[in-house]
Amino acid sequence: MDRFLEIVSGEFVLRFMPNGGKAILLRSVIVSAIFYILAIGIKSYSAEGAVLSFSAVQFWNEVRETIPWFGAVFGGSYAALYTRFSSQWSYLADLYNQQMSAALTLSDKQIDSEAYINWQAAFVEDAVCMHLHTKAGFSNLILELLRDVKIQEVLISQEHFGLEKYKKVLNQLEAVVSGKKL
């Protein structure tokens, strides 16, 4: 079921590009195409006297009649995906700003505390979960955090992150920061 939802929502796109404008556009086209074709199929096969047989001529006639549907679905999916991305970006930027603000008021001992290290590891996890870790605004920072031995230990020790995911994310970020394509 998860795989199905990943395809229908276009989330698989985030495996090869960071969350952002291009990914949102591509995902919106994918989502729109899937739902538009599904809507045409339902309309065609639910019509009185419909025969369950594909006809390319009938398909293109349906497209001509219903093309505004695609625009409506595209607009809705783009707005939803962009709103979600914007919210995630704002959350992550705010979390980073909170950490930097806190760091200014903490002593070196407090910055080396388990609580602060865990907070930084949580920032990395959130960035990865939201597919924002390879975005230009975050990639260098997250790479630096991943190279911190204390943060590395926290991430590797967590069941839902672990060594394998740590290595994968580290390799992705090293490639992105060095200018290589993913």
Side-chain angles (χ1 to χ4, degrees):
M1 185 64 166
D2 286 344
R3 186 80 175 132
F4 172 76
L5 292 175
E6 188 177 337
I7 291 168
V8 170
S9 68
E11 193 165 332
F12 67 90
V13 167
L14 300 174
R15 288 187 187 165
F16 57 87
M17 72 174 41
N19 202 354
K22 292 176 189 172
I24 292 167
L25 181 64
L26 184 56
R27 288 179 69 193
S28 296
V29 168
I30 291 166
V31 168
S32 300
I34 290 170
F35 283 100
Y36 179 66
I37 289 170
L38 183 64
I40 287 177
I42 291 170
K43 179 184 181 295
S44 296
Y45 291 118
S46 65
E48 191 174 322
V51 178
L52 294 176
S53 174
F54 178 77
S55 164
V57 172
Q58 180 62 32
F59 174 77
W60 290 113
N61 286 336
E62 293 288 349
V63 168
R64 275 193 296 281
E65 289 177 22
T66 62
I67 198 69
W69 295 6
F70 183 85
V73 174
F74 177 82
S77 63
Y78 187 86
L81 291 170
Y82 187 83
T83 299
R84 184 173 185 218
F85 162 75
S86 178
S87 174
Q88 291 171 335
W89 180 273
S90 294
Y91 162 77
L92 201 59
D94 187 49
L95 182 58
Y96 172 73
N97 289 336
Q98 288 175 17
Q99 288 180 352
M100 292 301 101
S101 179
L104 292 173
T105 63
L106 298 175
S107 68
D108 288 343
K109 183 178 178 183
Q110 290 171 315
I111 288 176
D112 286 337
S113 72
E114 184 178 342
Y116 192 76
I117 300 295
N118 286 339
W119 194 20
Q120 289 181 306
F123 172 81
V124 172
E125 285 184 85
D126 287 350
V128 172
C129 286
M130 293 182 278
H131 307 282
L132 293 171
H133 62 290
T134 56
K135 286 295 280 182
F138 295 113
S139 58
N140 285 318
L141 167 68
I142 294 170
L143 180 57
E144 184 180 318
L145 291 172
L146 284 174
R147 289 177 174 161
D148 183 309
V149 175
K150 293 174 186 173
I151 295 171
Q152 176 185 351
E153 289 171 357
V154 171
L155 292 169
I156 289 173
S157 70
Q158 294 180 356
E159 185 179 328
H160 57 277
F161 207 89
L163 180 61
E164 194 172 310
K165 189 171 185 177
Y166 173 84
K167 287 180 180 178
K168 179 183 174 188
V169 171
L170 182 65
N171 289 337
Q172 280 181 329
L173 286 168
E174 286 174 341
V176 166
V177 170
S178 71
K180 298 176 185 170
K181 294 279 185 188
L182 285 180

